[in-house]
């Protein structure tokens, strides 16, 4: 019981309410969602459109930030791998490009429509297995637990990340089905994720 009480007390002291410049950018974009939904060009939000390409740029930046970390390098390399998988998910290995180039317009865009499309799925699973192997080899669960128990909690960035994930998921529901809302939420979530990675790479130096 004392251990639980101590953990809760320590948790309160670990809350960090002060944001940085990118935190305010995230909040500004949240405020701008409604005006964007009302007045923005819908073509900016389609697959492979302007906003999706900005998302890929943000995720690529997150990978660079993680890989350049001077603290807990093995952990942040793994974080970079997770972000890399997010890019794979976002682009589906650029399936849309191949579909547009090699399939008829009325053909459903799926890898199985290609003769060697199974290779794309195999590469995706190989990447996942590589991530799992890397995680196990470096015993990263110990470092993850260290962060869970001791690292500061950047309240606004984590809260924005969580809310935008929920918002982006809800925007996919048939009852809402709003592509602009979905892409806006995803972009803000990726910005918050990048900011969290940036702030946590400096945790050791801040202790």
């Amino acid at each position: 019981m004392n251990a639980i009480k101590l953990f809760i007390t320590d948790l309160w002291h670990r809350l960090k309410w002060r944001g940085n410049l990118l935190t305010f950018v995230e909040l500004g974009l949240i405020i701008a969602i409604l005006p964007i939904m009302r007045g923005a060009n819908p073509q900016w939000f389609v697959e492979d459109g302007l906003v999706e390409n900005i998302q890929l740029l943000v995720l690529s930046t997150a990978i660079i930030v993680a890989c350049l970390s001077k603290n807990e390098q093995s952990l942040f390399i793994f974080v970079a791998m997770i972000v890399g998988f997010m890019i794979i998910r976002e682009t589906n290995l650029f399936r849309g490009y191949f579909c547009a180039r090699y399939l008829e317009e009325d053909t459903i865009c799926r890898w199985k429509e290609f003769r060697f499309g199974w290779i794309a799925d195999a590469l995706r699973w190989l990447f996942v297995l590589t991530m799992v192997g890397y995680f196990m080899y470096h015993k990263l669960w110990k470092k993850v637990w260290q962060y869970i128990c001791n690292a500061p909690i950047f309240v606004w960035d984590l809260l924005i990340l969580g809310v935008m994930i929920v918002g982006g998921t809800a925007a996919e529901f048939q009852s809402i089905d709003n592509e602009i809302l979905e892409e806006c939420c995803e972009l803000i979530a990726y910005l918050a994720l990048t900011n969290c990675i940036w702030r946590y790479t400096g945790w050791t130096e801040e202790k």
Side-chain angles (χ1 to χ4, degrees), residues 45-168:
F45 300 87
V46 299
E47 186 175 358
D48 297 326
L50 174 63
V51 175
E52 190 167 280
N53 285 308
I54 295 175
Q55 292 173 1
L56 296 178
L57 179 62
V58 171
L59 290 175
S60 298
T61 302
I63 290 177
I64 294 171
V65 170
C67 289
L68 292 179
S69 174
K70 296 180 179 179
N71 302 315
E72 303 292 358
Q73 290 183 335
S74 59
L75 175 62
F76 284 102
I77 290 296
F78 180 72
V79 171
M81 295 172 74
I82 293 176
V83 179
F85 184 77
M86 293 171 65
I87 291 178
I88 291 175
R89 173 194 167 276
E90 193 69 41
T91 62
N92 209 333
L93 295 174
F94 299 98
R95 183 182 63 186
Y97 168 80
F98 292 103
C99 289
R101 186 175 180 85
Y102 298 108
L103 294 182
E104 300 293 335
E105 290 186 6
D106 57 347
T107 304
I108 298 177
C109 184
R110 294 174 180 168
W111 281 117
K112 68 179 183 179
E113 301 297 332
F114 296 91
R115 183 178 180 182
F116 298 104
W118 59 271
I119 295 176
D121 287 324
L123 289 173
R124 185 163 44 201
W125 280 108
L126 178 62
F127 188 82
V128 172
L129 291 175
T130 301
M131 289 174 57
V132 173
Y134 186 89
F135 185 87
M136 300 301 293
Y137 178 78
H138 291 280
K139 300 178 181 179
L140 294 180
W141 61 85
K142 295 180 180 179
K143 295 181 180 180
V144 171
W145 184 248
Q146 180 184 6
Y147 271 73
I148 291 175
C149 293
N150 301 303
I153 301 171
F154 301 112
V155 179
W156 290 112
D157 296 298
L158 291 171
L159 182 62
I160 290 170
L161 176 60
V163 171
M164 291 300 102
I165 290 174
V166 172

Side-chain angles (χ1 to χ4, degrees), residues 5 7-8 12 15-16 21 31 36 44 47-48 53 57 96 104 114 116 144 148 155 161 167 173 199 207:
K5 184 178 180 180
F7 178 81
I8 294 175
W12 177 258
L15 296 178
K16 304 297 181 184
L21 178 60
I31 295 172
I36 289 173
W44 295 349
E47 186 175 358
D48 297 326
N53 285 308
L57 179 62
E104 300 293 335
F114 296 91
F116 298 104
V144 171
I148 291 175
V155 179
L161 176 60
F173 292 166
R199 301 185 77 176
K207 287 193 298 184

